[in-house]
Amino acid sequence: MKNLDSLLTSSRPVSTPRPGSSARIMKAIHERPGHGQRLQLLRRLRPIRLGLASTALLGGAAFAYVDIQSHPDGLSARVAHRLGVSIGAKHEPEVPMPAVSAPLPLPDCDSGRLPCTVKSPGGGMTVAVSPDLLRSPTLMDRLGRSLSAATARDRNGVKILLYSSIDAATRYSHALTLFGDEQQAELAAIQNSYAGQFERMGTLDATSGGSLIRYISHPGAVPTTVDFEPTKLTMSASRVKLLTDNHLSYVGGEITAISADSITVRSKSMRLVHIDTKTQFLSSGGVRSDRNGLKIGEVVYALVRSNNGTEQALEVVRDAGIKNNDGGIEYDFYGVDFTPAEDAIIWRKR
Amino acid sequence: MNESAVIKEVLSGHKDAYAPLVDRYLPGLYIHLFALVKDEDSAHDLAQSAFIKAYDSLDRYNPKYRFSTWLYRIATNDALKHLKRQQRIGLDDIPEIPDTYDPLEATRVEQREARVRAAVGKLPLRYQTVISLYYWQNAPYAEIAIILGIPIGTVRTWLGRAKDRLEELLGTYE
């Protein structure tokens, strides 16, 4: 056989970066915080979903639920906490979490001073919450049936916005998304994909680029509430979940149907993906826990067939469930991650 | 301007100073990643991610090593994670070794090289990685050892075993 060394040397793969690749990288670099101005939270952990139970406004005894995930390495954490929670996210692979059993009093917030600052007992990031916005009738009106929203600043002074809602009619907890300056480029794509289902709440700060979109469960929107036999599963809401992998496209999928044993997702390209949850779930990826030992959820993997006939990865995160203070409704949480570019979340009532 | 000066410039807040590093290393890094993941989109994504990660962590860069070594280490780790994630769900898309043979010499050369690349793609990931770094990136043993976090002796061993396997795979075609 011809000298293998020379064969190998001459067989270097023939492919070159696309024109403009360097420019795109530099554009991404320019959009990042400069050295010394790091926004650890948003850099490391995306997306952040925060659900605030209805008591956040009604009784003053706030309860916050934070679910932080970092894709694709499975970093995930949850904080159950009093409102005003600061999200600690400086260290990998685990997120420093305040103790769930130690509710934070919010004297500053309660006194109405702006902004009130709450420091995380876990040593993480400090955020300042503006209670007037949290209780703003104007904002409440804009949010329709939602119950709470709040602005916050990270320790670098970058504004972020926290938002959640409980659908008063259906009592479903809607998703909350926190966006920072790294997600700006993806917002437009998502909104374009979900015209009519997402509403941009406005840019908070021109320099930081903090922004928020929210899911609007308007009448006629897909998905809507559907009941199924025999388990009476009810789909409550769906929304785009941002993939957190730096290099992946931020596009979303939409749950169009759910039953006891299947999920149907419509991708951005309008392709319908049917997932038989009984036969296509392949294996468990193990239980995720935060550093406090709190079970976060179980990861399972499924295969779906793509439009070109090849099998694609599907990661399903089966959450441990969310205890909703609003009447004690509990939810199973399924995060459906399509790889590489399709992605959706569903919530379903347990 | 040498690399350490460039990096100091970037760390002092001049983001544009990072551009020459991107221009210098992107083509080679892309080839390396493409050799591993065999998908142009993924290779682009991983390359971009590696440059961004390197930028984000630049204040932790150890100038004892070449920037490229550090960059390749980041990129290789990410690529292997990417592939392992695919493997976990059984989506390994290893190309078949072509069995057609064109009489034209130019085509024969192309076919032969394609067969070699396909054969490399049949190797375990660690062997593919050392082949790519050694033969296609011209990285010396010591640098490969740093990139992969393994002893130099292991690099030699892996390369030797990789070539043995390749000879088995390619022998019937020559």
Side-chain angles (χ1 to χ4, degrees), chain A:
Chain A
M1 192 172 73
K2 188 176 176 179
N3 183 287
L4 184 58
D5 287 320
S6 63
L7 259 182
L8 280 166
T9 303
S10 63
S11 300
R12 190 178 201 238
V14 280
S15 186
T16 55
R18 295 181 190 121
S21 294
S22 297
R24 275 194 293 276
I25 291 172
M26 285 310 297
K27 183 174 182 294
I29 295 293
H30 277 288
E31 289 170 353
R32 301 184 79 75
H35 283 278
Q37 303 170 344
R38 284 301 155 77
L39 184 54
Q40 295 283 354
L41 172 66
L42 295 178
R43 181 168 69 86
R44 297 283 178 109
L45 300 167
R46 298 172 293 165
I48 298 166
R49 297 185 295 276
L50 173 61
L52 303 178
S54 60
T55 50
L57 284 176
L58 300 177
F63 177 88
Y65 157 76
V66 180
D67 184 5
I68 303 171
Q69 289 191 326
S70 179
H71 181 89
D73 298 327
L75 175 60
S76 179
R78 172 189 291 186
V79 180
H81 203 287
R82 292 289 174 177
L83 181 62
V85 61
S86 151
I87 305 160
K90 281 189 70 175
H91 307 292
E92 291 180 327
E94 297 288 351
V95 183
M97 292 298 162
V100 174
S101 58
L104 278 180
L106 299 172
D108 288 341
C109 291
D110 290 340
S111 69
R113 282 189 290 165
L114 299 177
C116 61
T117 302
V118 182
K119 188 173 285 186
S120 163
M125 187 167 288
T126 300
V127 298
V129 178
S130 302
D132 65 333
L133 273 180
L134 189 68
R135 297 169 169 85
S136 164
T138 303
L139 190 57
M140 286 293 292
D141 290 342
R142 289 188 59 197
L143 296 176
R145 291 173 292 185
S146 68
L147 292 178
S148 60
T151 57
R153 282 181 185 274
D154 71 4
R155 61 169 47 148
N156 295 315
V158 176
K159 280 186 181 177
I160 52 181
L161 180 61
L162 315 176
Y163 160 77
S164 78
S165 69
I166 303 292
D167 187 318
T170 56
R171 302 174 72 83
Y172 297 139
S173 176
H174 283 205
L176 177 145
T177 309
L178 172 65
F179 285 104
D181 55 356
E182 292 180 274
Q183 280 76 38
Q184 285 302 293
E186 288 74 34
L187 285 178
I190 293 169
Q191 287 172 310
N192 288 339
S193 304
Y194 288 85
Q197 293 187 59
F198 282 90
E199 176 183 83
R200 187 166 186 158
M201 298 305 297
T203 299
L204 294 177
D205 185 300
T207 53
S208 71
S211 187
L212 171 82
I213 58 171
R214 72 181 180 95
Y215 174 77
I216 303 171
S217 182
H218 58 76
V222 177
T224 53
T225 302
V226 185
D227 288 320
F228 293 91
E229 296 288 350
T231 54
K232 295 286 187 186
L233 291 173
T234 302
M235 179 165 55
S236 56
S238 76
R239 70 175 179 87
V240 172
K241 171 178 174 286
L242 297 181
L243 285 175
T244 56
D245 200 344
N246 282 337
H247 57 273
L248 293 184
S249 302
Y250 287 69
V251 294
E254 176 185 55
I255 307 297
T256 59
I258 181 173
S259 70
D261 54 7
S262 72
I263 302 170
T264 302
V265 182
R266 183 164 57 203
S267 74
K268 182 183 176 186
S269 59
M270 306 305 289
R271 178 170 61 86
L272 288 176
V273 179
H274 303 280
I275 304 153
D276 184 330
T277 55
K278 287 184 177 173
T279 61
Q280 286 185 281
F281 283 9
L282 294 181
S283 62
S284 171
V287 173
R288 294 180 180 177
S289 301
D290 67 13
R291 64 166 44 183
N292 295 318
L294 292 177
K295 180 180 174 183
I296 295 160
E298 183 183 17
V299 184
V300 294
Y301 297 95
L303 289 181
V304 295
R305 194 162 293 281
S306 73
N307 51 1
N308 63 9
T310 60
E311 288 179 324
Q312 280 190 319
L314 177 73
E315 181 181 272
V316 180
V317 181
R318 189 175 191 277
D319 195 285
I322 303 163
K323 179 72 173 179
N324 186 332
N325 282 1
D326 181 24
I329 297 172
E330 291 188 346
Y331 295 92
D332 271 345
F333 168 77
Y334 287 81
V336 185
D337 284 358
F338 283 93
T339 302
E342 291 164 304
D343 170 38
I345 279 185
I346 59 167
W347 300 68
R348 73 181 187 185
K349 185 177 171 183
R350 182 154 60 192

Side-chain angles (χ1 to χ4, degrees), chain B:
Chain B
M1 193 183 296
N2 63 35
E3 281 186 355
S4 58
V6 167
I7 288 166
K8 279 183 186 170
E9 187 83 0
V10 176
L11 288 174
S12 68
H14 296 90
K15 294 180 178 180
D16 283 331
Y18 197 65
L21 295 176
V22 176
D23 291 337
R24 186 180 306 166
Y25 294 117
L26 177 61
L29 184 68
Y30 169 76
I31 289 284
H32 172 58
L33 292 169
F34 179 72
L36 292 180
V37 301
K38 301 168 191 67
D39 175 76
E40 289 186 354
D41 289 335
S42 297
H44 274 108
D45 291 341
L46 287 165
Q48 175 169 323
S49 174
F51 276 108
I52 291 173
K53 281 187 178 180
Y55 170 82
D56 283 343
S57 309
L58 207 55
D59 48 359
R60 298 199 296 273
Y61 164 65
N62 184 350
K64 188 173 97 178
Y65 304 109
R66 293 168 56 192
F67 176 77
S68 60
T69 304
W70 186 57
L71 179 68
Y72 272 70
R73 180 169 181 146
I74 292 170
T76 302
N77 283 338
D78 281 357
L80 294 177
K81 279 183 197 169
H82 172 84
L83 290 168
K84 281 175 185 169
R85 192 159 186 266
Q86 288 192 315
Q87 285 182 337
R88 188 166 53 191
I89 54 166
L91 299 179
D92 210 8
D93 185 25
I94 296 174
E96 292 298 315
I97 297 177
D99 54 4
T100 56
Y101 204 76
D102 194 295
L104 297 173
E105 176 59 23
T107 306
R108 277 205 299 272
V109 171
E110 287 177 10
Q111 292 282 343
R112 187 173 59 209
E113 292 173 353
R115 280 203 305 277
V116 172
R117 287 193 293 273
V120 171
K122 293 273 188 186
L123 299 175
L125 269 179
R126 58 185 184 276
Y127 296 167
Q128 293 184 45
T129 309
V130 293
I131 290 284
S132 171
L133 289 169
Y134 185 78
Y135 286 102
W136 299 334
Q137 300 298 319
N138 299 317
Y141 288 152
E143 191 170 335
I144 297 173
I146 295 169
I147 291 171
L148 299 181
I150 57 177
I152 291 179
T154 305
V155 176
R156 288 198 185 93
T157 303
W158 285 6
L159 263 179
R161 288 178 183 166
K163 289 167 67 175
D164 289 345
R165 295 281 294 276
L166 283 174
E167 285 184 351
E168 290 172 17
L169 286 167
L170 295 167
T172 56
Y173 292 93
E174 298 297 329

